[in-house]
Structure formats: C-alpha cells, structure tokens
Amino acid sequence: MADPAPHEECGGVHAVRPNRSRESAAVAVLGTGSYLPDRVVTNTEAGVHAGVGDAWIVRKTAIRHRRWAHPEQATSDLATAAARRALDSAGIDAAELSVIVVATSTPDRPQPPTAAYVQHRLGARYAGAFDTNAVCSGFVFALAAAESMLARSGGYGLVIGADIYSRILDPGDRKTVILFGDGAGAVVLGPATGGRGVSGSALHTFGELGDLICVPAGGSREPGAPAAWDSGRHYFTMNGRAVREFVVRNLPRLVKQFLHDSAVGPSDIAHLVPHQANGVLLDDLIAELDLPEAVVHRTLVDYGNTGAASIPITLDVAARRGALNPGELVLLAGFGGGMSVGLSLLRW
C-alpha cells in the first residue's frame, strides 16, 4: 500500500488518535438504537414548493422518502427515544451512565444543551451531559470525545446524533428541502471485551470553508430578529457544488491516511457506514475510497439525510439486521459543515 499524503497536507485543523495510551482501557459499542418520526414525507410533498418532482429527486439524490417530525416534537424527544432503545439493546440502566453527549446542529434551544433534557428524561442522574456541533460529522466527533473520556475513567456513556432539519429548511430551495429528514440514533459505550472496541478516530476541520454550509441568522453575529426572518436568513443554506467538490477531494485521501495511521489495509474493512448525504455522491465516493471487501450500508433511500443522526441510524439498522459480525472492522465516515470530516474505526 502506497503511503498517502502526510498530515500537514490534509488541510484544516485536525487530530488523529488511532492508538490508545497504556493508561487507557478499551471502549466498545455495547448497544445501538434509533428513532424516526412516523410522518413519512414523499418526494412529491417535499418538492412541491421547490417545483421538483419524484423522478427528478430520485435521479439527483436516490432519496425516495424521508421522515419529518410532528410539530410538537423537538430534537430532545427524538434523541431520548433513540437513547432508550440503545440502553435496552445494551442492557444498561440510565443510572449507570457517567456521560451523555448529543451531537446536533438543531438543538431544542440555544441554551441549555439538548443533552440536559435527555439526561433528565432518562433519569441518568449521575451523568454529565453536553452537546457537540460538527453538523453532519457531529456523531463521530461526539463518539471520539466520549470514548476518550471513558477510556480514562471507565464506566458507561451514551452518544446520540439527533437532528430536526425540517424546521430550518426553505420550502422553495430545491437544493436543500429535498435532501433532509429528521431522526435520531444512539450508541451505548462501555468496557470492551474479546478484542472489541473503538480502535481510533480522526477529526478534521477546514474552518476556512465554514460558510459553505450554514444558517446565517440566529446566533450572536446575526440575531434572529424579524428582519432576518423576512429575508429568509434563518434557513439552512448550502453551496451544493462546492460541498460536493470538498467531499470528493478530501474524504478519500483522509480515509487512506487514517487507515495507514491505524495500520489497517483497505481490504481489512468489512463495513462502511458513511454519512447519508446523497446517494449519487455516495456512489462516486465509494469508487474512490477503494475498500474492496466493505459492505456499504445505506438508509438514505427511506430516511434521507438526517444530519448528525445519519451514521448512528444506519449503524443501528445494520446491527439489528444482524449484518455486523463479531471481530469485523467497521469504518464510520462523517462529513459536513464546518467543513468537517470525522472518521472512526470499530472492531465489532
């Protein structure tokens, strides 16, 4: 295997931690869970105000349906439901958790963290709880943070990716309104046995490209005043062409670097769980990633792009189908706003 480009050529600010120190203990995924709202939104419904129909959306994205939350549902509601299913899967009581991390870019409120609501509803009274926001890479960033904490301190943790993008989409913007769905996915982390565990993570941020994906208004730079609403600056925006170029240019080489640093060959990867951004984009990426033995898991056909939830939802679907076998290597590959790339390697 040829050596990939050195770290300094990867761009952005990044941290690679493929190897654990001697003082740290192995941490594994002990259970998974997910939750999708029961409201199914067809391509016809999603694209009606944008002037596009089912055939156009399928050709551009491979998405056929998505789920949108009901008006009374908030991100913490979806996150809590997914968390309960993950806890049941792991056989862990919420009171045993020492940390809860929620990855989301659509929190219930700017303050407090959505994780605080989840912690309370679960009854996880001993768990510290906080949010992370790396947009669609958020779950992998949150997983790396929680795994690092647990590797040092022991105990159990809960990592959740949850988003309700339907609340921030411009109904008339065909580049975005057709892509996104709502949902949540979760994993329980704890002491690893039998060679299982999170083998490593690599987190990359290209902050100079931060405005390619953003919600302009609603923060301290541009508060959500009536003028912002009138101009539509409270909506999610994305430079689709530039985002695609970023992903195709950067993700394959960052994956190759990560595998090299982890002393893992491309043919060792049994499963790829990528961010479910766009089916056409994934087809192009898979060819470039050159993972000859990897089964690529997809849920976007039915669920669309669920932001930070897409990787844990897809992981849960694969796990519950019995598709992941003990000892197999699973590569998680997130990419999204920031711009960011998050990679994690699991020994199942």
Side-chain angles (χ1 to χ4, degrees):
M1 180 176 64
D3 288 345
H7 294 308
E8 58 267 21
E9 294 182 8
C10 289
V13 177
H14 57 278
V16 180
R17 202 184 58 80
N19 297 310
R20 193 175 287 106
S21 72
R22 291 182 180 178
E23 295 79 12
S24 301
V27 175
V29 172
L30 304 183
T32 65
S34 60
Y35 174 82
L36 284 302
D38 60 16
R39 180 189 170 193
V40 178
V41 178
T42 65
N43 283 340
T44 300
E45 182 180 353
V48 62
H49 297 294
V52 294
D54 179 71
W56 188 89
I57 296 171
V58 171
R59 179 167 57 86
K60 292 287 188 179
T61 70
I63 296 169
R64 294 187 178 274
H65 307 93
R66 74 282 295 142
R67 306 292 184 91
W68 283 357
H70 293 285
E72 69 276 10
Q73 290 181 306
T75 297
S76 64
D77 298 318
L78 278 56
T80 302
R84 287 183 172 133
R85 292 175 180 177
L87 288 166
D88 287 344
S89 171
I92 299 298
D93 187 89
E96 298 178 75
L97 296 171
S98 57
V99 63
I100 298 172
V101 189
V102 174
T104 185
S105 54
T106 58
D108 285 22
R109 298 183 169 112
Q111 299 181 39
T114 298
Y117 295 119
V118 175
Q119 185 248 22
H120 172 65
R121 290 170 187 167
L122 292 176
R125 57 188 179 276
Y126 302 114
F130 61 95
D131 291 356
T132 64
N133 180 2
V135 196
C136 296
S137 300
F139 175 79
V140 180
F141 276 61
L143 182 72
E147 186 270 339
S148 180
M149 295 170 66
L150 295 172
R152 293 288 183 176
S153 64
Y156 299 99
L158 177 65
V159 183
I160 308 167
D163 273 309
I164 296 184
Y165 267 85
S166 61
R167 302 281 162 78
I168 59 172
L169 297 176
D170 180 350
D173 181 7
R174 70 180 188 177
K175 298 189 302 295
T176 58
V177 72
I178 64 170
L179 288 174
F180 290 91
D182 304 334
V187 301
V188 174
L189 299 178
T193 58
R196 303 171 62 197
V198 181
S199 298
S201 299
L203 311 179
H204 305 261
T205 298
F206 299 75
E208 70 276 14
L209 302 175
D211 287 341
L212 293 185
I213 294 175
C214 72
V215 178
S220 61
R221 186 165 298 282
E222 186 175 344
W229 283 79
D230 291 343
S231 63
R233 292 179 62 77
H234 63 294
Y235 285 132
F236 174 90
T237 66
M238 179 174 67
N239 183 332
R241 184 180 299 276
V243 168
R244 179 186 179 84
E245 291 175 354
F246 166 84
V247 175
V248 173
R249 182 175 67 251
N250 289 286
L251 187 66
R253 66 191 180 94
L254 294 177
V255 167
K256 291 174 184 177
Q257 182 71 64
F258 177 51
L259 296 183
H260 177 268
D261 292 344
S262 303
V264 170
S267 61
D268 295 329
I269 303 300
H271 301 274
L272 172 64
V273 182
H275 169 49
Q276 307 289 298
N278 176 308
V280 177
L281 172 60
L282 285 184
D283 287 340
D284 293 342
L285 281 174
I286 290 162
E288 294 294 327
L289 288 174
D290 189 26
L291 303 173
E293 303 300 322
V295 175
V296 181
H297 296 274
R298 305 192 194 206
T299 54
L300 64 88
V301 172
D302 293 318
Y303 302 147
N305 179 341
T306 52
S310 77
I311 287 178
I313 287 173
T314 306
L315 185 66
D316 179 54
V317 169
R320 290 176 186 271
R321 286 177 178 167
L324 310 177
N325 298 309
E328 291 182 326
L329 282 175
V330 182
L331 175 63
L332 310 183
F335 48 90
M339 295 294 290
S340 60
V341 172
L343 306 171
S344 190
L345 194 60
L346 312 179
R347 177 72 69 178
W348 202 252

